[in-house]
Amino acid sequence: MTARTTVAVVGAGPAGLVLAHALRRAGVEATVHERLSRAELERTARAGVLEHRVVEYLRSLGLADRLTAEGERHGECEITCLGERVPVDYGALSGGVRHWVYPQQLLVRDLVAAYEEDGGTVAFESPVESVALDGDGRPVMRTAGGKLRADWAVGCDGARSTVAAALPGGADGAARRYPYDWLTVLARISRPVERIRYAVHADGFAGMMPRTADVGRFYLEVPAGEELSGWDEPRIRAELERRLALDAADPALGALLETGMLRMRGRVARRMRAGRLLLAGDAAHTVTPSGAKGLNSAVADVADLAGALAAAVRGDHGALDGYQQRRLEAAWRTQEFSDRLLELLHLPAGLPPEQREFALRLRLERIHRIARPGPEGAEFARAYAGAGELPVAGVWPPAQRTAVASRSTGR
Ligand code: PHB
């Protein structure tokens, strides 16, 4: 049996779900296909730090009620180096722009619930297995439930995107594999993480990030390709406590709930559109976790795409013309931010031990510069917290733009 839809949204992560919502609000018919089961999707712990402008955009769609009721505002982080703890008050440095902390899996749960309330459905455990184009250049997809024909297909299906693979000539662009990985830990903690902590350390970076009142996310730099099996629990705990210099005033580490290895890479596709096939989020670009930009840039992609695609569906195909260029430029800005932060947080690969102090001292100098009021601090702070508005300009009806601007106050 062949089903038909206007827009096939492939993937029900934050990008796919927000896009489906925005299309629905614009009166565009869409289907959402997700490989995972609902339980798996809503259990997968990933990001948790949301930019100011992303939350403002979600608010404008009415999708941030729970997030803003239960999430926490964060405007300060701390970077430690050579025994110094340097607070970075990026909320003040940026002129009042702060993050929201709310775990990604809770946001996904809220987005699925809101989409269903609106009358939408997500097809879970229904991966799009392949995408081909018919004689008119329209996508034809194979799913577990049969064939699906659409006017447009949007790949929000992550780094191994089926839609990206179907772009004629491929979408592969430039990529970098970093010479280290991050061991990831989700752990019970005795009290909330009050501010993100980055530890720049001779033995490797470590990080402590907030999630909920009793759960934190931790990172440890390890050599690239390191196997998790070499890291038993006592070793992980000891290394986190040592590099982060956890003391009595810090959250105490409780049970380790989840551990993993995050292979550190950056990549940006060569293109995000071929005819009626479009890409958004990780399907088009992977950014390392440094700076917490992955989820944020995925939502920024679809904020741009939704309006343009709705216009294209109504017959204005030119509306999509600038999408790829705008979002590839944004993807490179994001890569550059994340890469620069990585450089600050890690010592150069292969640095002999006797030269580490020098490299650490240089990093401490830079940490002081970004922590100090002034142009450099302000630039870092604004990019870090996501100042301004998502670029939805020009494609949304005026009422929507007003709503975004007028709700920028409050918590
Ligand atoms: C995180 O919350 O996982 C996170 C936050 C900030 C970073 C990196 C990771 O720079």
Side-chain angles (χ1 to χ4, degrees):
M1 203 193 76
T2 302
R4 273 215 51 91
T5 187
T6 307
V7 179
V9 176
V10 184
L17 290 167
V18 171
L19 177 64
H21 266 282
L23 290 174
R24 205 173 172 82
R25 300 284 161 87
V28 175
E29 190 224 348
T31 57
V32 186
H33 286 264
E34 168 56 45
R35 178 174 60 86
L36 299 177
S37 71
R38 183 172 189 157
E40 284 169 312
L41 186 78
E42 294 183 355
R43 200 174 47 225
T44 310
R46 289 212 181 104
V49 175
L50 298 166
E51 288 181 356
H52 162 85
R53 58 189 175 176
V54 163
V55 174
E56 290 308 309
Y57 172 68
L58 294 174
R59 265 198 231 249
S60 77
L61 290 175
L63 296 175
D65 290 355
R66 206 151 165 190
L67 186 175
T68 52
E70 293 173 18
E72 294 277 334
R73 300 234 71 179
H74 283 239
E76 199 179 300
C77 68
E78 190 174 71
I79 315 181
T80 69
C81 185
L82 287 169
E84 237 187 85
R85 294 169 77 142
V86 183
V88 182
D89 187 352
Y90 61 89
L93 291 167
S94 64
V97 189
R98 291 176 295 162
H99 283 126
W100 284 93
V101 172
Y102 191 64
Q104 172 171 341
Q105 70 274 21
L106 300 188
L107 177 64
V108 163
R109 175 202 65 191
D110 298 349
L111 292 173
V112 172
Y115 191 58
E116 289 184 345
E117 255 166 52
D118 264 7
T121 47
V122 176
F124 289 104
E125 294 175 82
S126 173
V128 166
E129 287 150 6
S130 67
V131 184
L133 296 174
D134 70 11
D136 296 330
R138 285 185 159 72
V140 185
M141 283 141 287
R142 204 179 62 218
T143 73
K147 248 194 207 171
L148 173 67
R149 287 180 172 276
D151 293 333
W152 307 87
V154 186
C156 301
D157 49 345
R160 280 182 285 277
S161 168
T162 321
V163 182
L167 260 58
D172 286 352
R176 173 170 187 199
R177 176 72 169 98
Y178 286 89
Y180 40 75
D181 288 327
W182 280 11
L183 190 159
T184 64
V185 180
L186 201 68
R188 221 26 104 211
I189 42 179
S190 60
R191 68 176 76 124
V193 174
E194 278 173 18
R195 57 188 71 80
I196 288 174
R197 182 179 305 168
Y198 301 102
V200 183
H201 195 281
D203 297 334
F205 162 75
M208 173 167 71
M209 317 309 186
R211 285 296 181 269
T212 60
D214 63 351
V215 173
R217 171 100 153 150
F218 296 80
Y219 299 107
L220 275 177
E221 176 192 348
V222 297
E226 184 95 332
E227 294 297 334
L228 187 58
S229 54
W231 286 80
D232 58 15
E233 232 193 87
R235 185 176 178 204
I236 293 174
R237 283 177 185 284
E239 207 61 12
L240 280 174
E241 283 166 7
R242 198 167 62 83
R243 294 190 202 175
L244 289 165
L246 295 180
D247 62 25
D250 288 316
L253 269 178
L256 307 192
L257 306 173
E258 246 181 73
T259 52
M261 267 308 167
L262 214 151
R263 303 303 176 195
M264 295 286 276
R265 61 179 88 242
R267 56 172 265 281
V268 178
R270 213 157 30 84
R271 45 206 190 124
M272 293 176 69
R273 180 187 174 194
R276 292 171 175 276
L277 302 180
L278 294 143
L279 305 178
D282 286 359
H285 39 74
T286 305
V287 65
T288 77
S290 153
K293 294 299 182 195
L295 163 59
N296 291 295
S297 62
V299 176
D301 283 351
V302 298
D304 183 314
L305 180 58
L309 187 52
V313 166
R314 290 193 295 269
D316 175 10
H317 285 207
L320 279 169
D321 284 352
Y323 170 70
Q324 162 171 297
Q325 191 184 339
R326 287 192 299 273
R327 297 318 302 163
L328 287 180
E329 281 172 14
W332 282 112
R333 273 198 301 280
T334 304
Q335 291 289 342
E336 200 271 340
F337 179 82
S338 184
D339 183 86
R340 204 143 41 108
L341 184 56
L342 282 175
E343 244 176 62
L344 177 69
L345 301 177
H346 298 82
L347 297 186
L351 196 69
E354 70 277 10
Q355 292 183 34
R356 288 191 188 150
E357 188 185 340
F358 187 87
L360 288 168
R361 192 60 195 71
L362 289 182
R363 279 160 181 73
L364 186 57
E365 190 57 30
R366 178 150 164 72
I367 294 163
H368 285 150
R369 276 215 320 273
I370 58 174
R372 209 183 285 139
E376 210 166 336
E379 190 207 324
F380 171 81
R382 291 179 61 78
Y384 187 57
E389 284 182 36
L390 290 184
V392 293
V395 288
W396 288 99
Q400 176 104 43
R401 306 265 316 139
T402 317
V404 174
S406 67
R407 286 189 216 161
S408 308
T409 49
R411 267 174 38 97

